[in-house]
Amino acid sequence: MEKLSLCVLFGGCSSEYEVSLMSVTSILNNLDREKYDIYMVGITRDGRWLLYEGEISNIRPDRWNDRRYVTPAILSPDRADHGLLVLREGVIQRIRLDVIFPVLHGKNGEDGTVQGLFELCGVPYVGCGVLASAVCMDKDVAYSVLTQRGIPSARSICVREEELLHPEMVARKLREAALSYPVFVKPANAGSSVGISKVHGEGELLPALQLALREDGRGKAIVQEFLDGIEVECAVLGNGDPVASADVGEIEPLRELYDYEGKYCDDTTALHIPARLPPAKAQEVREIAVRAFRAMSCQGLARVDFFVLHKDGRVVLNELNTLPGFTDISMYPKLFCHGGMGYGELLDRLIELALGR
């Protein structure tokens, strides 16, 4: 069987650059070299695109960007090229691609921007399209769509940067939305729990909004109700007929906030697969996850995050992640692997879905 020409894209201009390096290392170590000719393309923090031809082991510690191993390269928007343009010793080399696997988290990676470039290139790519990526990334817009589709999500308000000049306006919006402390404040456009604060009173609100707005970069922050419940996640896979992972995973933070460090850097979080839920409740989570996946026009993959409330058992959707983490401790691959699908098999399936739509 002829090998597929596969471009794996990593790094990026995002606060989640380091997460991308962790994810792509796991992915590259599990791709079948018998099936794919792999071209590794890294994007530096300042936005340079480089074809990387060194060892995989250099990527995670961020030693990949060494001139010995890299050559300037870009994805050509000209469909006649259908792939990469590599500038090697003053000569442009064209590499035709069959498929692109973006391993880019956060802004400029899973928000529809780079997906638009893939569409211009005419090269199939893993994951959600432009619309789903953009809508899911912007929590303000996502909550509006979910509410309109009758999918229960957390109550929240959007605070724009210019509104910080009028604190009384923000306080009034909180009252009108019946939001009482504690609340969570987060960027409207960011992931991996970057820039999130748990706010216990009015005195903490302004600094939390300022932090969230710095991370957002697009002038919007979300103030969201505190949900007292079990935090669970469900993985969804597919295009027109998506399926949820056989099990739901549970996040048990061992400190107050499940933040970036808890996700990727320390051992303050316990993961339970399957989640400690009654079977009927886990099934409800799985069904809502697929409904949300469809409602947002997702394709390929998404991880859907929920709270199951202690008080009344209601399932409340927190957010959808269209390019979830693929590190060796990430919930998305762990859920499918727990169900019997190998990591490499999952990657093959995602590439098949990209080629099939």
Side-chain angles (χ1 to χ4, degrees):
M1 184 178 69
E2 187 176 351
K3 290 184 180 182
L4 290 174
S5 178
L6 170 66
C7 174
V8 179
L9 199 57
F10 65 92
C13 303
S14 167
S15 58
E16 297 170 67
Y17 173 90
E18 291 89 353
V19 184
S20 171
L21 301 190
M22 289 188 275
S23 288
V24 79
T25 298
S26 295
I27 287 171
L28 289 168
N29 282 328
N30 284 277
L31 283 168
D32 187 345
R33 263 55 182 180
E34 297 297 316
K35 295 180 179 179
Y36 310 110
D37 281 325
I38 299 171
Y39 298 92
M40 300 177 286
V41 175
I43 304 174
T44 64
R45 293 176 188 271
D46 58 355
R48 291 177 298 129
W49 290 52
L50 301 167
L51 177 66
Y52 173 63
E53 297 175 293
E55 297 296 322
I56 295 171
S57 58
N58 287 327
I59 297 177
R60 182 164 182 161
D62 201 14
R63 293 196 299 264
W64 67 273
N65 184 13
D66 182 310
R67 66 177 116 180
R68 292 175 297 171
Y69 311 130
V70 296
T71 308
I74 60 169
L75 274 171
S76 172
D78 188 332
R79 292 193 174 197
D81 294 321
H82 206 271
L84 290 169
L85 300 181
V86 181
L87 184 60
R88 204 183 293 274
E89 296 178 355
V91 177
I92 294 177
Q93 174 191 0
R94 288 173 170 80
I95 299 175
R96 186 173 179 83
L97 298 175
D98 294 310
V99 64
I100 300 166
F101 198 139
V103 192
L104 301 168
H105 302 303
K107 292 190 292 289
N108 304 307
E110 58 178 309
D111 58 0
T113 51
V114 79
Q115 286 77 15
L117 174 58
F118 301 154
E119 296 281 353
L120 290 174
C121 296
V123 181
Y125 57 95
V126 170
C128 293
V130 176
L131 176 63
S133 299
V135 170
C136 290
M137 188 67 179
D138 189 312
K139 297 176 183 67
D140 176 38
V141 177
Y143 292 151
S144 297
V145 174
L146 291 166
T147 299
Q148 195 274 333
R149 294 297 181 95
I151 296 171
S153 58
R155 287 183 298 116
S156 65
I157 61 167
C158 177
V159 178
R160 296 182 180 274
E161 193 164 15
E162 58 270 20
E163 291 179 301
L164 295 193
L165 298 174
H166 307 282
E168 71 283 357
M169 182 187 301
V170 178
R172 186 172 69 249
K173 289 175 74 169
L174 260 70
R175 290 194 301 272
E176 290 172 352
L179 291 174
S180 57
Y181 296 103
V183 293
F184 281 105
V185 176
K186 58 179 73 174
N189 295 274
S192 293
S193 299
V194 174
I196 292 184
S197 305
K198 187 176 182 181
V199 174
H200 300 85
E202 187 174 344
E204 300 175 11
L205 183 60
L206 181 59
L209 286 168
Q210 291 170 333
L211 171 64
L213 287 164
R214 281 198 303 273
E215 292 295 342
D216 179 79
R218 295 177 183 172
K220 294 201 298 185
I222 297 294
V223 182
Q224 180 181 302
E225 68 175 321
F226 168 67
L227 296 169
D228 183 19
I230 302 170
E231 191 168 354
V232 298
E233 299 180 347
C234 183
V236 183
L237 177 70
N239 288 336
D241 190 21
V243 296
S245 52
D247 288 305
V248 173
E250 178 186 345
I251 305 294
E252 184 188 9
L254 304 180
R255 58 184 178 189
E256 188 172 39
L257 180 61
Y258 181 42
D259 57 8
Y260 182 93
E261 285 73 23
K263 284 186 175 182
Y264 302 110
C265 302
D266 58 32
D267 57 357
T268 60
T269 302
L271 305 181
H272 302 280
I273 304 176
R276 296 170 297 181
L277 294 174
K281 188 59 62 176
Q283 179 60 22
E284 182 182 355
V285 169
R286 295 174 70 251
E287 290 172 358
I288 297 174
V290 172
R291 281 179 56 204
F293 188 93
R294 292 180 183 275
M296 299 303 230
S297 301
C298 294
Q299 291 179 300
L301 75 159
R303 194 193 72 229
V304 191
D305 302 346
F306 297 89
F307 285 93
V308 180
L309 302 189
H310 291 309
K311 182 178 180 180
D312 55 15
R314 283 190 303 124
V315 176
V316 179
L317 193 148
N318 187 32
E319 61 184 64
L320 290 91
N321 294 270
T322 56
L323 203 69
F326 265 82
T327 72
D328 50 9
I329 60 170
S330 294
M331 188 67 88
Y332 188 91
K334 285 175 76 74
L335 283 170
F336 279 110
C337 291
H338 186 267
M341 182 183 293
Y343 195 119
E345 185 183 354
L346 173 61
L347 299 178
D348 289 343
R349 181 68 183 129
L350 289 169
I351 292 167
E352 288 170 7
L353 289 167
L355 293 167
R357 72 173 196 248

